[in-house]
Amino acid sequence: MGSCSSHAASIPDWDDIRRETGFSQASLVRLHHRFRALDCNKKGYLCRMDLQQIGALAVNPLGDRIIDSFFPDGSHSVDFRGFVRILAHFRPVEDEGTGIRDPKEPEPLNSRMNKLRFAFQLYDLDRDGKISRHEMLQVLRLMVGAQVTEEQLESIADRTVQEADEDGDGAVSFLEFAKTLEKMNVEQKMSIRILK
Amino acid sequence: MLRTALPLLGLPLAETEAAGEPTKEPGAPGEPPPGLALFRWQWHEVEAPYLVALWILVASLAKIVFHLSRKVTSLVPESCLLILLGLVLGGIVLAVAKKAEYQLEPGTFFLFLLPPIVLDSGYFMPSRLFFDNLGAILTYAVVGTLWNAFTTGAALWGLQQVGLVAPRVQAGLLDFLLFGSLISAVDPVAVLAVFEEVHVNETLFIIVFGESLLNDAVTVVLYKVCNSFVEMGSANVQATDYLKGIASLFVVSLGGAAVGLVFAFLLALTTRFTKRVRIIEPLLVFLLAYAAYLTAEMASLSAIIAVTMCGLGCKKYVEANISHKSRTAVKYTMKTLASCAETVIFMLLGISAVDSSKWAWDSGLVLGTLIFILFFRALGVVLQTWVLNQFRLVPLDKIDQVVMSYGGLRGAVAFALVILLDRTKVPAKDYFVATTIVVVFFTVIIQGLTIKPLVKWLKVKRSEHHKPTLNQELHEHTFDHILAAVEDVVGHHGYHYWRDRWEQFDKKYLSQLLMRRSAYRIRDQIWDVYYRLNIRDAISFVDQGGHVLSSTGLTLPSMPSRNSVAETSVTNLLRESGSGACLDLQVIDTVRSGRDREDAVMHHLLCGGLYKPRRRYKASCSRHFISEDAQERQDKEVFQQNMKRRLESFKSTKHNICFTKNKPRLRKPGHKKDGVANTETTNGKPPRDLGFQDTAAVIVTLESEEEEEESDSSETEKEDDEGIIFVARATSEVLQEGKVSGNLEVCPSPRVIPPSPTCAEKQLPWKSGQGDLAVYVSSETTKIVPVDMQTGWNQSISSLESLASPPCTQAPTMTHLPPRPLAAEEPQAPLALPSDPLLSFAFPPSLAKAGRSRSESSADIPQQQELQPLMGQKDHTHLSPRAANPRWCIQFNKGGQL
């Protein structure tokens, strides 16, 4: 416990972060540990390089995009708070928590919508609130093996967009995106157990 | 040859063979041949296979009978019914043969009946779900089964010590542990049979079912260990034996899994090279899986685990390698075999229970066992779940636990194991058998019966079946990648990390090795879903009656055009009708495309409502086979309608030209029409093109008219049969706006038209010519005709009117009708329904008479028929639908003759 408290003391805005992210103390401490481990030069923040050095991310088709999501608005560094805020999306949803939380704050970061929004932003590169066919194609290109030809990819992209597109603008808005997944247990699929 | 087939085909053939080829009789060589027997009964030769076939047949028939009443099967699980049936049959057998026969033999069960079921469940196991929950499954399978076995055994022993079990049950602690080990295992067959009908949510199902599959290893080990201990005698058991027992648990389970995976690898590898011999692909799957089972059995490893792993492991590669048809074959054969085996198992279970010589009753033991297995199962589940929930992302709630406890069904495995006991070593075997039977029956029947209401009552989350959509598939993959990445970032190597690593490995090495190159790309799941969706679309499209090859580019139902209007009532209509195959694609459900819908609706309306052209029947069979009543009613209706219209139109028409002339006459009118049409076009469009088209259209109508006339004249069906062209018009306004340009586009060659008039004339002899024509026009019954065509048609009609040829005018009028009314009208008699005010023509009463006379004369000109093909083709080109045009006319042909 002693080490915990010392950690806690060393983290700025400890309480704010906890409130915002809903992480347990142990999780936060562990994440802070990790944060400092990733932070090579002890600069107190992470830059892209720090995350890119994680070996497995290099082979993750969406790795770069996920790294980018840690650096919103084109910034080049992320402090612990921002780091944790992103990870908070993947905190499991607990049933009891929602009832208490809702009145006070708009929505916890790990709500279904926020989870979906996180995923959506990975697609929506230009941040216009829509996944265009082009963006869909880019994602598909990342995700689908080289065996599938470009033409096939394009037809898949077309079809995927058409499938989700309801208002006929040739792009998938966030609402449409959420709707295509309404049958999926997103809360479960976008959560990591250890991030309590 | 015949001889080899005999055992399969059963008795009847045996008779024929005996009668037909008596010389082949396997008469003993030493004896003198008994002479030529006309009839020989050789039951013993076919007895075994014949009985097998017979039993399977009985079981299958019983299944059919059960499912005759949906009410029964919705309340009572099939397994219960089968057991009850078995009881009845066993009773009958017992009464007839005076001894119990046809029981469930452990050998048969383990070697033949069990493998197909396990293979089926392993092969079709949702692997993702399985591995997602592997931790829980393994816990329940290993810890849970051990717990159940020991607690049940010990509790029973305690019960005996207390004196609640009659002293005649001679069993020590080891015997009870042995019994506990065989009775504790949840049975895959029973679980599958019951849970498949209950439809609980996937997680719950996979946990219970996975447990029932994997606990086989534990059961087998426990059973063997206890059995050997019992045989050794408890005094001789050393401490090392216990250690060996524990070690053998790993050997048996992991060994079984290893055997399964090796065979899965072999199977995948083999199917990679079957390109030239597709026909044996399904066989390979079964053979190698069965080989895995037998190998594991031979090495006394867990055969169930072996086959499960084999199915689980090979599926991905095998499915990619084998052809589409083989896949279907594998699927169906596997399902058939499994269902067959399951049926037989339950039935034989029932039959076996009747044999009272095998079992001895002790109420204390039976009741105690029942209570203990229920109690300890529940207790075990609760304890394990509590531990598991500390680690699970989605905790199993209380309701899940209730269902899991209650779903612990025992079945044929336990029964077969208890039968295998050696009575000399286990003196209480008979009691154990009786108890096992009661337990099995109780769990399968009572629990099986009540679990459905229980699930309903507890409001257990049911599985929701939905078809995959591309978006879901894609996003699911995205989520996986995201989670793997986040785990990396967090620095925790969890499940997602390892799965990601496995997939990388699989992609890099395994798939390269085990999949044929051409199949490699199917492997990609996103592509796979896309592919399947497309196939479904295509099928539904064809089902709808679409022409895939139609000149207009094909619009898939799932690829709706964007210019569609908001959802209309049309959609609902389609849904209700249920015929809109495209709509059952969930994906598309939400996407509307007005035009597609409209098309589909039109199709359906026409298909359902249009009178059936007689012609069609004629082509396929002789007229005598037509169902007369429908036809007659149809004829009558049409006739009446026509007459009414004609009368009306007649009143209003000015032209009273008598049309009585035969073909020669008609030709002239036709030519005239052309000219007239050009001049007369009301809209003032470029007369040339219009005229051409019109003429073509007119020709067609002419024929139909003639037919009508015939029908009118009560010439009846014969004449009616001639090719009829039916033009339906969706919107009446179309007429007004004659779109010449559209017409031009539609019909590639206007020159075609000029000849048409002559063709039409030829057609006049309806009987002979028209049939051909219709055929050429289109073999399909319905077609969508662009509005432009219609306008042309109308114009032609008007021109015809001017010519004052009544029959022509009639046909055009038809076009004006909206599709619905059209449906009501008869295609056979292309009766003109002059609904359109524009077109008014006089129908001379004399025509009808003329029609009759024509019909007689019509038959005589054969040359004309030959010409008609040309006509037809022209028409066809005209009729080809233009996608661009929003409004449509529907043309209805009797495409009979082809």
Side-chain angles (χ1 to χ4, degrees):
Chain A
M1 283 320 285
S3 69
C4 276
S5 56
S6 73
H7 272 303
S10 69
I11 301 171
D13 306 330
W14 171 261
D15 290 330
D16 286 350
I17 292 176
R18 270 204 72 184
R19 209 175 307 122
E20 185 184 15
T21 60
F23 277 122
S24 71
Q25 184 146 328
S27 296
L28 267 190
V29 169
R30 188 171 49 209
L31 286 178
H32 193 242
H33 220 80
R34 177 67 178 168
F35 180 82
R36 289 198 303 180
L38 287 175
D39 181 9
C40 301
N41 309 324
K42 307 286 172 249
K43 12 185 217 302
Y45 60 86
L46 295 182
C47 59
R48 277 193 167 76
M49 283 300 293
D50 293 325
L51 290 179
Q52 278 161 356
Q53 71 183 353
I54 302 173
L57 274 185
V59 295
N60 192 317
L62 296 177
D64 283 340
R65 290 187 180 216
I66 288 161
I67 291 176
D68 285 342
S69 69
F70 279 93
F71 303 95
D73 311 324
S75 61
H76 294 289
S77 64
V78 57
D79 57 5
F80 180 64
R81 186 167 184 164
F83 179 74
V84 176
R85 195 185 293 134
I86 296 297
L87 294 179
H89 286 103
F90 301 94
R91 196 167 60 84
V93 183
E94 66 275 301
D95 301 330
E96 321 89 49
T98 51
I100 309 163
R101 204 176 295 270
D102 276 348
K104 285 185 278 177
E105 294 172 29
E107 223 176 352
L109 281 171
N110 65 343
S111 72
R112 178 190 174 94
M113 274 305 163
N114 276 329
K115 283 177 196 292
L116 281 177
R117 195 170 289 282
F118 183 87
F120 183 79
Q121 278 164 3
L122 291 187
Y123 291 86
D124 183 20
L125 283 187
D126 57 6
R127 306 281 144 133
D128 64 348
K130 283 183 173 165
I131 305 173
S132 65
R133 176 182 175 277
H134 182 65
E135 285 164 340
M136 188 69 87
L137 190 58
Q138 281 180 314
V139 174
L140 278 168
R141 219 174 267 145
L142 291 176
M143 306 255 306
V144 176
Q147 326 88 326
V148 181
T149 67
E150 184 67 20
E151 279 175 17
Q152 290 164 337
L153 270 185
E154 282 181 19
S155 50
I156 294 180
D158 280 340
R159 178 138 189 186
T160 313
V161 172
Q162 282 187 5
E163 209 180 78
D165 185 15
E166 292 191 338
D167 52 11
D169 61 353
V172 183
S173 70
F174 177 65
L175 283 182
E176 288 163 347
F177 177 79
K179 191 152 191 197
T180 59
L181 293 172
E182 65 187 354
K183 287 190 182 130
M184 195 192 277
N185 190 350
V186 177
E187 293 91 336
Q188 183 182 337
K189 293 218 154 126
M190 284 284 279
S191 298
I192 295 180
R193 190 182 50 79
I194 52 154
L195 293 178
K196 284 238 166 152
Chain B
M1 290 297 292
L2 200 58
R3 177 156 294 275
T4 57
L6 264 185
L8 293 179
L9 295 181
L11 198 58
L13 242 189
E15 293 170 15
T16 60
E17 188 233 8
E21 321 173 67
T23 49
K24 268 195 173 181
E25 207 71 67
E31 300 170 14
L36 193 74
L38 272 183
F39 185 85
R40 181 160 305 191
W41 191 264
Q42 28 189 21
W43 165 248
H44 58 277
E45 284 203 355
V46 298
E47 181 179 359
Y50 195 71
L51 279 179
V52 170
L54 207 60
W55 278 115
I56 295 176
L57 183 66
V58 168
S60 312
L61 289 181
K63 242 182 169 170
I64 296 176
V65 172
F66 297 153
H67 283 279
L68 283 183
S69 156
R70 191 170 295 165
K71 209 173 174 186
V72 170
T73 42
S74 70
L75 287 177
V76 187
E78 211 179 76
S79 46
C80 300
L81 291 171
L82 283 169
I83 284 197
L84 295 177
L85 173 79
L87 280 175
V88 173
L89 287 179
I92 294 173
V93 169
L94 193 64
V96 171
K98 303 294 178 209
K99 58 175 178 146
E101 274 189 89
Y102 316 121
Q103 304 200 350
L104 187 58
E105 299 296 332
T108 321
F109 173 74
F110 282 118
L111 288 187
F112 301 112
L113 292 177
L114 193 54
I117 299 176
V118 180
L119 176 61
D120 174 60
S121 47
Y123 193 77
F124 293 107
M125 172 106 65
S127 53
R128 173 76 197 265
L129 208 55
F130 179 77
F131 286 112
D132 279 356
N133 294 290
L134 188 60
I137 292 172
L138 276 179
T139 313
Y140 289 120
V142 178
V143 182
T145 309
L146 285 174
W147 158 269
N148 283 344
F150 282 111
T151 50
T152 310
L156 282 176
W157 180 72
L159 206 63
Q160 192 202 31
Q161 298 301 305
V162 179
L164 287 177
V165 174
R168 62 178 183 273
V169 180
Q170 300 169 340
L173 177 57
L174 266 182
D175 299 271
F176 278 119
L177 284 180
L178 173 61
F179 178 63
S181 71
L182 67 86
I183 203 73
S184 63
V186 177
D187 184 70
V189 184
V191 165
L192 205 59
V194 169
F195 271 68
E196 268 190 346
E197 297 180 21
V198 177
H199 304 298
V200 295
N201 64 70
E202 300 135 334
T203 314
L204 199 52
F205 174 78
I206 203 73
I207 288 180
V208 176
F209 178 55
E211 176 200 344
S212 71
L213 276 178
L214 296 192
N215 68 14
D216 172 69
V218 183
T219 312
V220 168
V221 169
L222 268 185
Y223 178 79
K224 279 185 184 146
V225 169
C226 291
N227 208 6
S228 52
F229 284 0
V230 167
E231 284 174 7
M232 281 191 283
S234 52
N236 305 328
V237 178
Q238 316 268 316
T240 52
D241 291 328
Y242 292 108
L243 286 181
K244 271 191 213 159
I246 293 170
S248 74
L249 177 62
F250 291 97
V251 172
V252 166
S253 55
L254 295 182
V259 168
L261 289 178
V262 166
F263 275 91
F265 183 83
L266 287 179
L267 177 51
L269 199 61
T270 320
T271 51
R272 196 186 158 173
F273 303 104
T274 52
K275 194 174 179 184
R276 302 272 158 77
V277 275
R278 293 279 193 200
I279 200 75
I280 61 162
E281 281 170 347
L283 186 65
L284 278 177
V285 174
F286 291 102
L287 278 184
L288 278 167
Y290 194 47
Y293 186 90
L294 293 180
T295 309
E297 191 77 40
M298 183 179 68
S300 59
L301 302 171
S302 168
I304 291 186
I305 288 186
V307 172
T308 306
M309 294 311 289
C310 182
L312 207 57
C314 74
K315 183 180 183 193
K316 181 171 153 190
Y317 311 103
V318 168
E319 294 271 284
N321 281 338
I322 64 180
S323 73
H324 185 68
K325 281 179 184 168
S326 299
R327 240 174 290 164
T328 313
V330 167
K331 184 175 169 189
Y332 274 89
T333 317
M334 220 174 253
K335 293 281 178 204
T336 308
L337 285 178
S339 141
C340 200
E342 186 188 286
T343 310
V344 170
I345 286 175
F346 282 116
M347 202 176 64
L348 290 185
L349 258 185
I351 294 178
S352 315
V354 175
D355 179 15
S356 59
S357 67
K358 253 189 216 159
W359 47 288
W361 182 269
D362 181 79
S363 308
L365 183 65
V366 170
L367 283 179
T369 312
L370 270 184
I371 292 168
F372 287 144
I373 62 164
L374 283 176
F375 173 72
F376 286 119
R377 163 97 189 157
L379 189 63
V381 166
V382 170
L383 290 178
Q384 291 172 78
T385 311
W386 182 79
V387 175
L388 278 174
N389 275 348
Q390 309 298 313
F391 302 100
R392 276 183 71 85
L393 178 63
V394 187
L396 296 161
D397 57 19
K398 292 201 178 63
I399 292 178
D400 290 340
Q401 295 175 33
V402 170
V403 175
M404 279 165 57
S405 320
Y406 204 67
L409 306 179
R410 272 61 165 185
V413 172
F415 180 78
L417 286 178
V418 82
I419 293 285
L420 278 178
L421 288 178
D422 184 357
R423 188 172 308 173
T424 55
K425 303 279 167 49
V426 187
K429 179 191 172 187
D430 288 350
Y431 295 98
F432 288 158
V433 171
T435 312
T436 307
I437 288 177
V438 171
V439 166
V440 169
F441 277 34
F442 178 84
T443 53
V444 171
I445 295 182
I446 308 287
Q447 285 178 227
L449 266 178
T450 47
I451 197 165
K452 220 175 195 174
L454 183 79
V455 164
K456 248 183 220 154
W457 181 64
L458 290 175
K459 297 194 181 70
V460 177
K461 249 201 303 175
R462 300 298 193 93
S463 68
E464 8 177 272
H465 179 72
H466 49 260
K467 287 165 186 155
T469 69
L470 268 181
N471 276 288
Q472 274 193 18
E473 186 71 25
L474 177 64
H475 301 329
E476 213 161 312
H477 279 254
T478 314
F479 291 171
D480 287 345
H481 287 305
I482 293 175
L483 285 196
V486 171
E487 279 193 353
D488 290 334
V489 171
V490 176
H492 167 82
H493 287 178
Y495 170 70
H496 297 284
Y497 170 81
W498 288 111
R499 210 175 31 116
D500 212 50
R501 294 312 286 274
W502 164 254
E503 274 174 9
Q504 305 271 354
F505 171 76
D506 176 64
K507 207 180 226 167
K508 256 189 205 150
Y509 306 106
L510 268 186
S511 294
Q512 306 276 8
L513 181 62
L514 296 179
M515 280 188 196
R516 71 178 58 142
R517 211 147 291 149
S518 61
Y520 194 59
R521 117 192 126 199
I522 300 178
R523 216 227 66 176
D524 192 280
Q525 282 156 320
I526 296 178
W527 170 255
D528 194 37
V529 170
Y530 175 72
Y531 180 79
R532 275 185 283 136
L533 283 176
N534 267 349
I535 291 216
R536 214 180 326 150
D537 281 352
I539 290 175
S540 67
F541 181 72
V542 172
D543 281 348
Q544 275 182 11
H547 324 229
V548 179
L549 298 177
S550 68
S551 52
T552 56
L554 90 169
T555 43
L556 286 178
S558 56
M559 303 202 168
S561 59
R562 285 293 152 211
N563 50 11
S564 62
V565 211
E567 202 167 355
T568 52
S569 61
V570 172
T571 345
N572 302 331
L573 233 177
L574 251 186
R575 285 207 185 116
E576 281 165 17
S577 72
S579 45
C582 65
L583 290 184
D584 67 6
L585 264 192
Q586 271 203 350
V587 196
I588 300 139
D589 251 356
T590 48
V591 191
R592 34 226 86 8
S593 97
R595 212 194 64 218
D596 284 336
R597 297 257 157 86
E598 262 169 41
D599 291 357
V601 169
M602 303 258 246
H603 267 297
H604 293 302
L605 283 179
L606 284 180
C607 288
L610 277 180
Y611 289 122
K612 300 285 179 292
R614 188 96 34 69
R615 180 57 78 64
R616 224 219 243 126
Y617 302 108
K618 194 176 171 185
S620 59
C621 59
S622 86
R623 182 166 298 145
H624 303 287
F625 295 110
I626 305 168
S627 65
E628 287 298 330
D629 42 354
Q631 200 68 38
E632 269 171 14
R633 182 188 50 77
Q634 197 170 290
D635 291 344
K636 218 194 220 163
E637 277 178 30
V638 177
F639 176 70
Q640 285 171 350
Q641 281 174 357
N642 287 343
M643 286 318 284
K644 218 195 259 168
R645 301 264 152 121
R646 285 184 195 182
L647 272 180
E648 286 170 3
S649 64
F650 183 49
K651 281 177 200 162
S652 59
T653 43
K654 312 152 197 170
H655 328 274
N656 285 337
I657 296 176
C658 64
F659 188 60
T660 47
K661 275 79 200 235
N662 288 354
K663 312 135 204 171
R665 256 257 175 171
L666 278 177
R667 279 178 200 167
K668 280 185 185 176
H671 290 295
K672 279 184 189 176
K673 290 167 204 163
D674 287 351
V676 179
N678 296 340
T679 55
E680 281 196 1
T681 11
T682 49
N683 299 344
K685 297 143 199 168
R688 256 310 109 193
D689 309 332
L690 274 182
F692 287 133
Q693 288 196 348
D694 297 353
T695 51
V698 173
I699 295 155
V700 180
T701 50
L702 270 178
E703 303 170 11
S704 58
E705 290 168 2
E706 291 176 4
E707 286 182 1
E708 288 178 350
E709 289 177 357
E710 288 183 357
S711 67
D712 293 353
S713 58
S714 73
E715 282 282 14
T716 67
E717 296 122 85
K718 278 204 177 185
E719 287 97 12
D720 295 340
D721 291 343
E722 330 291 87
I724 292 159
I725 294 173
F726 196 44
V727 178
R729 224 258 212 120
T731 47
S732 56
E733 350 126 26
V734 179
L735 261 186
Q736 265 75 343
E737 6 157 337
K739 293 182 183 175
V740 183
S741 58
N743 271 336
L744 287 178
E745 294 172 14
V746 176
C747 61
S749 59
R751 50 197 152 103
V752 176
I753 301 153
S756 58
T758 53
C759 295
E761 293 157 358
K762 290 158 191 173
Q763 290 163 359
L764 289 181
W766 328 248
K767 292 205 170 183
S768 52
Q770 285 188 346
D772 299 345
L773 207 186
V775 173
Y776 279 95
V777 172
S778 75
S779 56
E780 294 88 351
T781 46
T782 52
K783 254 200 181 167
I784 298 179
V785 181
V787 177
D788 309 359
M789 285 303 308
Q790 269 204 344
T791 56
W793 205 303
N794 296 331
Q795 289 178 356
S796 68
I797 290 161
S798 62
S799 66
L800 284 179
E801 287 180 20
S802 67
L803 282 182
S805 69
C808 302
T809 48
Q810 286 179 351
T813 48
M814 296 277 302
T815 54
H816 300 279
L817 295 180
R820 280 248 177 172
L822 281 181
E825 297 172 48
E826 262 239 340
Q828 324 168 321
L831 317 175
L833 306 182
S835 61
D836 194 330
L838 288 184
L839 308 177
S840 60
F841 65 93
F843 191 110
S846 56
L847 279 184
K849 294 167 192 169
R852 286 176 209 158
S853 61
R854 260 180 246 146
S855 65
E856 289 145 15
S857 60
S858 60
D860 44 19
I861 305 181
Q863 333 91 285
Q864 294 171 354
Q865 294 180 351
E866 298 165 4
L867 294 178
Q868 285 170 356
L870 282 178
M871 257 284 300
Q873 285 195 339
K874 293 161 196 170
D875 287 348
H876 193 61
T877 56
H878 287 287
L879 296 178
S880 66
R882 275 181 65 242
N885 200 324
R887 268 160 284 136
W888 298 81
C889 301
I890 294 176
Q891 179 189 3
F892 190 80
N893 292 336
K894 330 183 115 199
Q897 286 196 346
L898 281 187

